[in-house]
Amino acid sequence: MTDRFLRACRREPVDRTPVWFMRQAGRALPEYRAVRQRYGLLEIMRQPELCAEVTLQPVRRLGVDAAILFADIVLPLAGMGVAVELRDGVGPVVDPPLRTPADVDRLRPFEPEAAVGPLLQAVRLVRRASPVPLIGFAGAPFTLAAYLVEGGSSRDFLRVKAFMHREPAAWARLMEQLTDATVAYLRAQVAAGAQAVQLFDSWVGALSPADYREAVLPHVRRLIAALPPVPLIHFGTGTAGLLEQMRAAGGDVIGLDWRVDLGWAWERLGEGVGVQGNLDPAVLLAPFEAVAAEARRVLDAAGGRPGHIFNLGHGVLPDTPVDTLKALVDLVHAETSKRKD
Amino acid sequence: MTDRFLRACRREPVDRTPVWFMRQAGRALPEYRAVRQRYGLLEIMRQPELCAEVTLQPVRRLGVDAAILFADIVLPLAGMGVAVELRDGVGPVVDPPLRTPADVDRLRPFEPEAAVGPLLQAVRLVRRASPVPLIGFAGAPFTLAAYLVEGGSSRDFLRVKAFMHREPAAWARLMEQLTDATVAYLRAQVAAGAQAVQLFDSWVGALSPADYREAVLPHVRRLIAALPPVPLIHFGTGTAGLLEQMRAAGGDVIGLDWRVDLGWAWERLGEGVGVQGNLDPAVLLAPFEAVAAEARRVLDAAGGRPGHIFNLGHGVLPDTPVDTLKALVDLVHAETSKRKD
């Protein structure tokens, strides 16, 4: 097994910069589309063999240095008694959404084996079969709360922010429950074999630094502190104004989107932490020449320092050509191998 | 006329911190809703007396320290031969959108008097009647291009970014034409009486710093350099990773959204520039206690330095209570007047 991904998480020297892609499983791969012709998203996540297969597809096809479990971040919410669906072309839909303090009190504690048993079985299967490390993952409390309160994706997150400002006590209870659930969920993934985890606080960039500090940071800090000692990647988008606080909340690696220069971000984060990212996934829709130029820019900004994991700044977009993904993996490996000569 | 707004733009001492709100004209005001019962948005912008009236309503009602012309940033696009509409509850719609290099070549040069004569007449009327300075404004080239290529508002701006990456030559021509149009538009507003201007690069935060540097900055720099010597506020959202570059592009004042700490942002921007912002407009939907706390946090971060203009981090949201806006203006004036004792 190549362990350059785990070595990079620990900021140890690596033979080549490791590379994987958020949302590498799914979407862009023809073999995934073939599976999807026969099965719905939730069906895949509830059938261990299928879920393991889809998780491993990008490892075989693209040569990435890590596998990430095929799942959706809203998946554990069903186990808390929330009516959640994954609608094709829409994304997660929570209906009815959570809108009142009483709704918070109706959430049930999350019990991993009961709620996501088949997914944990998929973790065991992947771990046995994968030639690269397996990353488990979960949504962070704010991002889960955003789905719950907004009822799905959102552009400006007004409802979840309104709830946060109007109902501070219920907000704190909500964040505590989501923190407890996420700790249990990630612990179960690690127990089943995940060798690293990524915490997706995808939408936390909607908040002001002051709101993050008060309403989010303490919960994420408690969450990360309660996890087993595997490497943790702490990721969000739109976080250029929040990086120091995300670092304070925890994580061995901070995941960057594309809206921030990687070199400057790493300077701000300081010693003792790795960084992952930060190629704009939109660039992968352009001719490969443009992709290569951007990839080299990211590698230059990282400067070959131990602790850099190459990735996009957010998930692979649905229309991304699979050849571009493959060529990008090869380019990162070739460029960073050359550097060591 | 109180000139504390213009004094702050020039970083001169002021008796109180000036305050105004992006989108202060419209939406939240009952007298505006009364006008809107009888007239469409474009009708208002095409009737000088009505447009002037709506521009002055928030000055009377809220006691803000500046008036901003009531218009939409896509308005000048019609004068370039673009089919643009303002749809209620949707926003600007460009149909057909601009999608090819040939579409760029079909854009017509912008001639202010022919294209927006009534709006310029409204500027003259407001200037005569207003007890506070009048701010003219325009969309910046990237943000206008985003509306043109996306066909309206967007969440992830994939189409405009794809155009930028796939058609660099046509992109440069597009930015040049939009720059020329915006220079002509803002010059005409200043000639008609606008005492300051704000350049809205509202969506530029969708770009990576590298893309901004290459595909946007040179055009904005040329634009700002070509304007008459009135104070210019350079504003965008999601720009925490772009502030130094926006400063390099130009502007006497940099407008901040809420995703960045104002004190830290000002440090990065350095001496010789003012800042405007940065209260999250979503907070204004909460009880006034929360609004007051956030306002004080912004004022503390500014620390009473000359050159701070109090504003929200983006436009007033439609459901904002007018009493909250009024109380916020009063609070900013009271708190900053107290500080001088």
Side-chain angles (χ1 to χ4, degrees), chain A residues 161 166 205-206 258-259 280 285, chain B residues 161 166 205-206 258 280 285:
Chain A
K161 290 202 244 178
R166 284 184 193 150
W258 63 92
R259 296 182 185 89
D280 185 351
L285 305 177
Chain B
K161 289 201 245 178
R166 284 184 193 153
W258 64 92
D280 186 351
L285 306 177

Side-chain angles (χ1 to χ4, degrees), chain A residues 283 286-296 331, chain B residues 165 168:
Chain A
V283 174
F288 192 71
E289 201 180 23
V291 181
E294 283 291 293
R296 290 195 179 100
L331 180 142
Chain B
H165 289 298

Side-chain angles (χ1 to χ4, degrees), chain A residues 32-224:
Chain A
Y32 170 78
R33 291 205 204 103
V35 173
R36 281 285 278 122
Q37 295 228 312
R38 296 180 55 203
Y39 303 97
L41 281 169
L42 285 176
E43 277 180 283
I44 298 174
M45 296 169 200
R46 285 170 184 160
Q47 297 191 41
E49 290 76 14
L50 262 181
C51 183
E53 165 60 20
V54 166
T55 297
L56 287 166
Q57 283 172 347
V59 177
R60 292 187 211 114
R61 164 78 73 154
L62 304 173
V64 287
D65 296 303
I68 184 157
L69 187 62
F70 183 80
D72 192 282
I73 65 169
V74 300
L75 192 69
L77 296 176
M80 304 179 76
V82 174
V84 59
E85 266 184 83
L86 298 175
R87 270 186 218 157
D88 286 337
V90 174
V93 174
V94 174
D95 188 18
L98 182 153
R99 292 281 160 83
T100 67
D103 292 341
V104 175
D105 298 328
R106 271 192 292 274
L107 290 174
R108 295 199 309 253
F110 179 77
E111 292 171 18
E113 278 298 342
V116 291
L119 195 77
L120 298 172
Q121 183 55 21
V123 171
R124 292 179 198 106
L125 296 177
V126 174
R127 177 62 192 273
R128 240 174 274 156
S130 177
V132 294
L134 171 63
I135 307 171
F137 76 93
F142 175 80
T143 293
L144 294 174
Y147 282 112
L148 285 172
V149 180
E150 300 288 343
S153 297
S154 173
R155 198 175 152 193
D156 44 20
F157 300 96
L158 294 180
R159 288 195 183 92
V160 64
K161 290 202 244 178
F163 191 92
M164 188 178 89
H165 290 297
R166 284 184 193 150
E167 304 287 354
W171 175 261
R173 289 205 306 281
L174 174 60
M175 293 298 276
E176 278 161 25
Q177 291 205 53
L178 292 170
T179 297
D180 291 342
T182 304
V183 167
Y185 185 42
L186 288 174
R187 277 185 184 159
Q189 292 181 42
V190 172
Q195 291 143 288
V197 293
Q198 177 155 325
L199 189 66
F200 281 81
D201 215 348
S202 309
W203 309 134
V204 78
L207 294 181
S208 72
D211 282 342
Y212 182 86
R213 186 177 314 122
E214 208 161 299
V216 175
L217 193 153
H219 304 284
V220 177
R221 179 181 276 148
R222 176 168 80 83
L223 190 163
I224 293 177

Side-chain angles (χ1 to χ4, degrees), chain B residues 117-137:
Chain B
L119 195 76
L120 298 172
Q121 183 55 21
V123 171
R124 293 178 198 106
L125 296 177
V126 174
R127 176 64 192 272
R128 238 174 276 155
S130 178
V132 294
L134 172 62
I135 307 171
F137 76 93

Side-chain angles (χ1 to χ4, degrees), chain B residues 32-266:
Chain B
Y32 169 78
R33 292 207 203 104
V35 173
R36 282 285 277 120
Q37 295 228 313
R38 296 180 55 202
Y39 304 98
L41 281 169
L42 285 176
E43 277 180 282
I44 298 174
M45 297 169 200
R46 284 169 184 162
Q47 296 190 42
E49 290 77 14
L50 260 181
C51 183
E53 165 60 19
V54 166
T55 298
L56 287 166
Q57 282 172 348
V59 177
R60 291 188 212 113
R61 164 78 72 153
L62 305 173
V64 286
D65 295 303
I68 184 156
L69 187 62
F70 183 81
D72 192 282
I73 65 170
V74 300
L75 192 69
L77 296 177
M80 304 179 75
V82 173
V84 59
E85 266 184 84
L86 298 175
R87 269 186 220 157
D88 286 336
V90 174
V93 174
V94 174
D95 188 17
L98 182 151
R99 293 279 159 84
T100 67
D103 291 341
V104 175
D105 298 328
R106 271 192 291 273
L107 290 174
R108 296 199 308 253
F110 178 79
E111 292 171 17
E113 277 298 342
V116 291
L119 195 76
L120 298 172
Q121 183 55 21
V123 171
R124 293 178 198 106
L125 296 177
V126 174
R127 176 64 192 272
R128 238 174 276 155
S130 178
V132 294
L134 172 62
I135 307 171
F137 76 93
F142 174 80
T143 294
L144 293 174
Y147 281 112
L148 285 172
V149 180
E150 300 288 342
S153 297
S154 174
R155 198 176 153 193
D156 44 22
F157 299 97
L158 295 180
R159 289 194 182 93
V160 65
K161 289 201 245 178
F163 191 93
M164 187 177 90
H165 289 298
R166 284 184 193 153
E167 304 286 355
W171 175 261
R173 291 204 305 282
L174 174 59
M175 294 298 276
E176 278 161 25
Q177 291 205 53
L178 292 170
T179 297
D180 290 343
T182 304
V183 167
Y185 185 42
L186 287 174
R187 277 185 184 158
Q189 291 181 42
V190 172
Q195 290 143 290
V197 293
Q198 176 155 326
L199 189 65
F200 281 82
D201 216 348
S202 308
W203 309 135
V204 79
L207 294 180
S208 71
D211 282 342
Y212 182 86
R213 187 177 313 123
E214 208 160 299
V216 175
L217 192 155
H219 304 284
V220 177
R221 178 182 275 148
R222 177 168 79 84
L223 190 163
I224 293 176
L227 295 179
V230 300
L232 182 129
I233 304 166
H234 186 184
F235 168 76
T237 69
T239 58
L242 299 176
L243 291 174
E244 290 84 355
Q245 295 199 63
M246 287 178 68
R247 164 106 211 250
D252 303 281
V253 177
I254 302 293
L256 305 172
D257 80 352
W258 64 92
R259 296 181 184 90
V260 64
D261 178 79
L262 185 143
W264 178 64
W266 210 345

